[in-house]
Amino acid sequence: MPILELKNVSKSFGQLKVTDDVSFSVPEGQALGIIGPNGAGKSTLFNLITGNILSDAGSIAFQDRDVTRVPAMQRCFAGVGRSFQIPQPFDNLTVFENLLVAAMHGRNQSQKEVQQACAQILEQTELLPVANKPAAGLSLLQRKRLEMARALATDPKLLLLDEIAGGLTDAECVALIDTIKSVHARGVTIIWIEHVLHALTSVVERLLVLDFGKVIGIGAPDEIMNRQDVREIYLGIEV
Amino acid sequence: MRTDTHTPPFVVSTHTRASQIAAVLAVALVAVLIFLPFFAGRGLIQDMFFILTMLVLAQFWNLLAGYGGMVSIGQQAFVGMGAYAMFGGVILAGMDPIPAILLGGLAAVIVAIPTAFFAFRLQGPYFAIGTWVIAEVMRLSMAQVKALGGGTGTSLPRSATREMWATDWIATVFDVRNSAARDILTYWLALALAAATIAAIYALLRSKPGLALSAVRDNPEAAKSVGVDAGRMKWFVFLTSAFGTGLAGALIYVQKARISPDAAFSVTDWTAYVLFIVIIGGIGTIEGPIIGVIVFFLLQSLLADYGSWYLFTLGIIGIVVMLVAPRGLWGLITDKTGIQLFPVRRRLSGGALDT
């Protein structure tokens, strides 16, 4: 059964069509990777799925429920968690408070009910040593980790990761992959936009390629990466 | 997820040793201030009334701008509407001025609803200017209400001020004239309002909605994506701030007993001075407005005889503080000492942090 299903979703900003008749579905428990050149509309697609922006046409269903016009807050309650491509921490709150606000509101529970879970997510994402520091003072790696930790704090059924490995060293990337794999192993469905292909393909079971807002291919990673049009569009390889 | 059964559980705390001492001192201070009229002269009571009411206005502007991220320069709208509603209750409905203060808070909330409807469509400086324009519209509108004195204003009826609740009892106990008894009564009400305002804002900031408010201020889009109802938080803070500001406005004009649109909707008296207090003291902290109002009162006492130089000096001091100490005087103090009298941070300890 698909946890997420998009049918003919389109979105334009003025004359520019950034999402063009996109349709795909993601089975529950699967990890789907999304690739495409810069400006292909990947982050806009995430914003449409999370409700941060609303589509002009088409429909989005989450767990068989039509959420096309449902605001971001309600989609979070339903189980959609996300990270942002450019980290968006709550700068004046501490790292721990960033997770608390997400857990208390995303799960609609009290501080007492969520505080142990938040502390454990900080441990899992290696943010515990900076738990009491304001988020404004974090390094890039820590900010990326915080993005994922905050999304996990909402206890999502579907986790959307937007270029979470960008700018990380190889060692940092390996640690991040381990964390994502352990989250996925718990049954969380993952959709991951990433340019670091080796990281992406080590986790995902399917790849979707986006170009000029259109889906040009979806399938097993090996099959997709060997397609001539994908190599030309995405990797810039003349075949 | 990895959990070690041998490590102690994580603990979350907000209190600090300084805050516990501060809580005891605050209770003692309020007790002393309750009994102040027994040993203080009328001049000091009037000065304390001014300090406490400005503190209330500053705390509510700080809630709106410092915690809610909505920098309004139209708070005089709620002072004026609160004051005029109280006058309306007394003059038109024959109410006693003291219960009519509640009408002030109610009226401020009622006008805040359409104000928010328009102002929330604006962002940043446009929001600030929009709130100022709406306040001016309210000033001009009240100047048309002849029953409340029109453009020149009016006074509370002598019968209403003479027979105000509890003033006879205060006049007898303190052996003072009726006007002095009114000052004592309004001082006590100002003290109660200031203490309740600080306690309520502190409780809010330590609560679940308080944490959400900080998240919305820092990043509304990210807040929405973690389940925070950013729109509802903005409405809640705007209406709460309007209610408190309206109550303070009504109380101020019970003590003044005379009102005019220019005075009640004065951007200088009810917004510019309030901004100065919060910015000097430290925006986004409860302690900041307390420090700021003391500094403001001292400057006003020192410079009151220098006319426009007074405002000029306030402006220069405000700019210098913004450049040298962007987080205000309380920010400087906490940077040097680490002291927090009203801590709202949730500190994590225990678990693997202690191993």
Side-chain angles (χ1 to χ4, degrees):
Chain A
M1 186 187 83
I3 191 168
L4 180 77
E5 187 163 25
L6 280 76
K7 284 184 184 165
N8 310 108
V9 173
S10 293
K11 178 72 186 175
S12 298
F13 295 119
Q15 297 297 310
L16 184 66
K17 202 159 198 175
V18 283
T19 306
D20 190 357
D21 200 29
V22 167
S23 298
F24 69 92
S25 63
V26 186
E28 192 161 3
Q30 192 177 71
L32 171 73
I34 298 181
I35 60 170
N38 287 332
K42 302 185 293 296
S43 293
T44 301
L45 187 60
F46 263 22
N47 285 330
L48 289 166
I49 295 170
T50 58
N52 287 90
I53 58 174
L54 297 179
S55 60
D56 298 334
S59 67
I60 301 171
F62 180 70
Q63 289 190 310
D64 278 341
R65 175 187 164 207
D66 186 355
V67 295
T68 313
R69 313 310 296 174
V70 171
M73 179 190 72
Q74 298 287 348
R75 294 194 205 187
C76 175
F77 292 154
V80 180
R82 74 167 298 175
S83 75
F84 288 88
Q85 182 185 354
I86 298 166
Q88 313 260 333
F90 305 125
D91 278 340
N92 292 295
L93 298 181
T94 65
V95 169
F96 177 57
E97 286 173 327
N98 265 265
L99 266 65
L100 268 186
V101 72
M104 287 161 74
H105 288 270
R107 304 178 189 196
N108 195 21
Q109 290 182 330
S110 70
Q111 182 179 308
K112 279 204 169 141
E113 288 172 305
V114 301
Q115 62 192 33
Q116 296 298 327
C118 288
Q120 283 164 3
I121 293 169
L122 288 177
E123 262 188 309
Q124 187 186 20
T125 52
E126 297 177 28
L127 286 171
L128 199 55
V130 292
N132 294 316
K133 282 192 176 172
L138 298 182
S139 67
L140 175 65
L141 172 63
Q142 288 168 333
R143 288 162 83 87
K144 296 232 173 194
R145 286 189 185 282
L146 178 56
E147 278 294 312
M148 189 165 70
R150 196 175 60 188
L152 289 174
T154 62
D155 195 20
K157 298 180 182 81
L158 170 64
L159 178 62
L160 305 173
L161 300 171
D162 197 347
E163 296 193 25
I164 200 92
L168 304 187
T169 64
D170 285 347
E172 289 167 350
C173 206
V174 168
L176 190 75
I177 290 167
D178 285 346
T179 308
I180 296 170
K181 278 181 174 170
S182 73
V183 171
H184 184 41
R186 298 207 311 267
V188 176
T189 308
I190 290 174
I191 305 180
W192 185 5
I193 294 174
E194 193 54 76
H195 286 299
V196 185
L197 285 178
H198 70 88
L200 188 66
T201 51
S202 68
V203 174
V204 302
E205 290 120 17
R206 277 201 310 163
L207 267 185
L208 181 150
V209 188
L210 212 55
D211 191 34
F212 289 109
K214 280 183 179 293
V215 176
I216 60 166
I218 184 165
D222 287 347
E223 173 199 328
I224 288 292
M225 294 313 297
N226 285 323
R227 267 176 52 174
Q228 181 180 329
D229 55 346
V230 171
R231 292 167 72 85
E232 283 179 3
I233 290 166
Y234 185 60
L235 302 176
I237 297 169
E238 296 277 344
V239 181
Chain B
M1 205 172 291
R2 183 172 62 84
T3 49
D4 188 341
T5 51
H6 297 294
T7 54
F10 288 99
V11 178
V12 181
S13 58
T14 45
H15 289 293
T16 61
R17 186 160 176 78
S19 73
Q20 288 167 334
I21 295 168
V24 174
L25 291 177
V27 171
L29 179 65
V30 170
V32 169
L33 291 177
I34 289 170
F35 290 100
L36 189 67
F38 286 96
F39 49 85
R42 191 175 174 189
L44 180 58
I45 293 297
Q46 287 175 339
D47 286 345
M48 287 302 297
F49 175 82
F50 173 76
I51 288 171
L52 290 167
T53 49
M54 291 305 282
L55 176 59
V56 171
L57 295 178
Q59 289 289 358
F60 279 113
W61 188 81
N62 188 36
L63 175 67
L64 190 66
Y67 291 105
M70 290 174 273
V71 180
S72 162
I73 48 175
Q75 290 303 89
Q76 67 275 19
F78 307 125
V79 172
M81 290 309 293
Y84 265 102
M86 182 276 293
F87 265 72
V90 174
I91 293 172
L92 304 177
M95 289 176 73
D96 186 281
I98 301 304
I101 291 170
L102 289 174
L103 275 186
L106 196 63
V109 170
I110 290 169
V111 296
I113 293 169
T115 301
F117 181 79
F118 291 110
F120 283 0
R121 279 153 178 74
L122 306 170
Q123 300 288 329
Y126 299 99
F127 174 84
I129 293 166
T131 52
W132 190 0
V133 169
I134 292 167
E136 281 299 291
V137 170
M138 289 187 199
R139 180 180 69 82
L140 293 168
S141 302
M142 288 314 299
Q144 307 307 312
V145 182
K146 300 292 181 207
L148 295 175
T152 53
T154 188
S155 298
L156 284 176
R158 188 172 289 272
S159 59
T161 55
R162 205 170 40 232
E163 293 159 18
M164 202 184 295
W165 279 9
T167 46
D168 278 348
W169 174 79
I170 294 168
T172 307
V173 169
F174 288 88
D175 191 22
V176 292
R177 292 197 314 188
N178 195 273
S179 56
R182 195 173 76 226
D183 283 346
I184 292 172
L185 176 63
T186 51
Y187 161 75
W188 274 338
L189 289 172
L191 177 61
L193 184 58
T197 298
I198 291 172
I201 290 176
Y202 189 40
L204 169 69
L205 295 177
R206 291 164 62 97
S207 71
K208 184 175 168 180
L211 195 59
L213 185 60
S214 302
V216 173
R217 174 199 56 198
D218 284 359
N219 197 318
E221 280 308 307
K224 284 181 207 167
S225 74
V226 295
V228 173
D229 192 340
R232 193 165 73 173
M233 288 309 304
K234 282 178 74 173
W235 273 96
F236 172 73
V237 167
F238 194 80
L239 297 186
T240 303
S241 178
F243 178 71
T245 304
L247 284 181
L251 179 57
I252 288 166
Y253 278 88
V254 167
Q255 199 257 2
K256 287 182 184 289
R258 167 148 189 89
I259 197 168
S260 71
D262 288 349
F265 291 91
S266 165
V267 67
T268 308
D269 289 349
W270 312 126
T271 296
Y273 289 160
V274 167
L275 259 74
F276 177 83
I277 288 168
V278 177
I279 289 166
I280 281 278
I283 192 165
T285 63
I286 291 176
E287 298 92 335
I290 298 172
I291 301 271
V293 79
I294 293 167
V295 172
F296 173 68
F297 175 74
L298 293 175
L299 286 172
Q300 198 183 50
S301 304
L302 287 170
L303 303 170
D305 297 334
Y306 294 93
S308 57
W309 282 100
Y310 161 59
L311 291 173
F312 181 75
T313 309
L314 283 189
I316 293 288
I317 291 171
I319 291 167
V320 169
V321 169
M322 278 190 275
L323 291 173
V324 176
R327 290 171 52 234
L329 296 174
W330 184 250
L332 273 184
I333 293 168
T334 49
D335 286 347
K336 299 272 183 205
T337 63
I339 291 174
Q340 285 186 315
L341 302 181
F342 296 93
V344 292
R345 280 254 186 272
R346 292 136 179 99
R347 286 191 65 80
L348 184 68
S349 58
L353 278 169
D354 287 354
T355 56

